[in-house]
Amino acid sequence: RIILMNYKRITVKNTSTESTVKTRPKADPKLKNQVGAPMSAGVLEVRVVPGTKVATGDTLCMLSAMKMEMVVASPVCGTVSAVEVSGGESVSAQDLLFTISVEP
């Protein structure tokens, strides 16, 4: 916002309108080791931590949207290398939730 005072131009930053929404990186659908949110939802529970070994189909977390709960399962076998969410947070579709280091 710009204010003119005594014919001087003063720029004032209005911080009351700043967003408090946390933006997250999106999961790359081409990379099998990145797990993204299937839809906008709330995170009910995270069942893994970095270093957890997972098999294909193991539950990584539980999400809740529109009065239904859904399981986010591991698409690959490997070790969880990054957990980007925690219980109680909200996520948008394709937000990066987990990164898994694939085991050969």
Side-chain angles (χ1 to χ4, degrees), residues 4 9 11 20 33 35 44 46 52-53 65 76 81 99:
L4 292 175
R9 185 177 176 159
T11 304
T20 57
N33 69 324
V35 181
L44 290 177
V46 177
T52 304
K53 292 194 180 291
V76 294
S81 57
T99 304

Side-chain angles (χ1 to χ4, degrees), residues 6-23:
N6 296 334
Y7 301 104
K8 292 181 183 178
R9 185 177 176 159
I10 300 172
T11 304
V12 177
K13 183 176 180 183
N14 186 354
T15 58
S16 66
T17 60
E18 288 183 3
S19 175
T20 57
V21 175
K22 183 176 183 181
T23 57

Side-chain angles (χ1 to χ4, degrees), residues 72-88:
V72 175
S74 175
V76 294
C77 290
T79 303
V80 177
S81 57
V83 177
E84 305 293 338
V85 294
S86 59

